[in-house]
Amino acid sequence: MSEVAIEKNTYWVGVNDRTTDLFEGLWPIEGIGVSYNSYIIKDEKNVLIDLAKGIKTDDFFNQISRIVDIDKLDYVIVNHMEPDHTGVIKTLRKIARNVEILCSPKAVKMLQDYYGISEDVREVKDGETLSIGSHELQFVHVPFVHWPETMVTFDTTTGVLFSCDAFGGYGAFQGTIFDDECTDLSFYEKESLRYYSNIVAKFSTPVLNAIKKLDGVALKIIAPSHGLVWRKNPARIVDLYKTWAGYSTSGGEKGITLLYGSMYGNTEAVMNAVAQGISDGGIHPEIFDVARVHVSYILPSLWKNNGVVIGAPTYEVSLFPYMQQVLEKAVLKNVKHKKAIYFGSYGWSKGAFKKVQKIAEDLNWEVTEGLEFPGKGTDDIFESGYNLGKRFAQSLK
Ligand code: FEO
């Protein structure tokens, strides 16, 4: 994609990544991709705000060159050090020999650690401003959105907030970078929640702190470093992030994520009865086979819903491993304050329910009931499963 003007003297010069399969080496983005948004403000001083991962470097530099000669860049603002936004910085420094890097104090050591860069690096304080001619930029430290060194840059002249990871989402651009020109906002909103639950969720308190800190700022456009530029309705993505961050303490909204795994179909058969009970109890369950669906796609549902149903057999006196892996990811991502129930088959020993209860302690999940049954479910077990699901759905507020 070519460079695009987003405001006066302000241009998007990002990279659409449609070839990386796993974001952070972990999270599937195959088929939808992701963008690394970078921006230039051309003024008496020329500023590049955030960079890109070290792919398509020639294309990226060519885009910059259409707006300003790379060796005429005066400043590079590094809002965040993760290499998806800094991967090309060493190469850039070889071309733009006079460029000064502006970053938060905590980014300084990271620049050295990742790239061996220590010269012409200037720390900027929280709230510090920089005049670059007709624009004034203000730096606002927002630690742990996503790493400790993160900050955002606000153009007080145009009202553009360059927010880096904050307010971002998965999904390469499909013809436009702007919310008002996008004909399928639901795609980006869905992928923003997946991104939030995969990448940002653990840092929900810092997200809420950042939103509070930015309250009252006269922002007109949110220009994140992943996903759409919110030009028409920036409040929409702020509201979504605020809602999602709030789930970290509220436990989410009324809904049920039904996770199941099955070795020979016995737990799966009872799962169908539990799901029917849930449905008759008034909630449409979101059902995931934990052995077949990547946890990246399960986390948004777990994050949003206040109820979790765990159906998995005992495996070697413990929990079916794929289920354990999903629950451990939930621990890693601080998916807390849920209500949960368990059901599952066992062969020669119980053990899964005990393991679920132990993991639930780390999650502050209230496991209200468990149904363990030997081998294949009997008619009584199917009826118990149905009633368990119905009771659970009716108990959620
Ligand atoms: Fe998009 Fe935390 O990097």
Side-chain angles (χ1 to χ4, degrees), residues 23-24 80 82-85 146-147 164-165 195 199 225-226:
F23 187 76
E24 288 190 336
H80 176 28
E82 194 162 6
D84 52 334
H85 308 292
H146 159 221
W147 282 5
C164 203
D165 276 357
Y195 170 86
I199 310 294
S225 289
H226 302 294

Side-chain angles (χ1 to χ4, degrees), residues 271-289:
M271 182 276 288
N272 287 317
V274 174
Q276 192 182 348
I278 292 168
S279 185
D280 288 350
I283 293 180
H284 175 77
E286 295 177 19
I287 302 175
F288 299 94
D289 178 343

Side-chain angles (χ1 to χ4, degrees), residues 17 19 104 106 130 151 157 192 200 211 236 269 300 336 347-348 377:
D17 181 357
T19 52
S104 73
K106 284 208 165 83
L130 173 77
M151 64 179 194
T157 315
S192 292
V200 188
I211 290 173
R236 173 68 184 162
K336 293 195 166 175
W348 46 271

Side-chain angles (χ1 to χ4, degrees), residues 207-260:
V207 167
L208 289 171
N209 290 341
I211 290 173
K212 202 170 169 189
K213 197 168 180 178
L214 294 167
D215 192 31
V217 169
L219 66 89
K220 277 173 51 189
I221 295 174
I222 290 183
S225 289
H226 302 294
L228 290 175
V229 173
W230 297 81
R231 177 171 69 176
K232 182 183 177 192
N233 192 4
R236 173 68 184 162
I237 194 67
V238 176
D239 287 346
L240 285 174
Y241 260 63
K242 198 171 175 180
T243 299
W244 298 335
Y247 293 160
S248 64
T249 50
S250 72
E253 55 194 63
K254 184 175 172 179
I256 290 177
T257 303
L258 196 170
L259 308 173
Y260 82 95

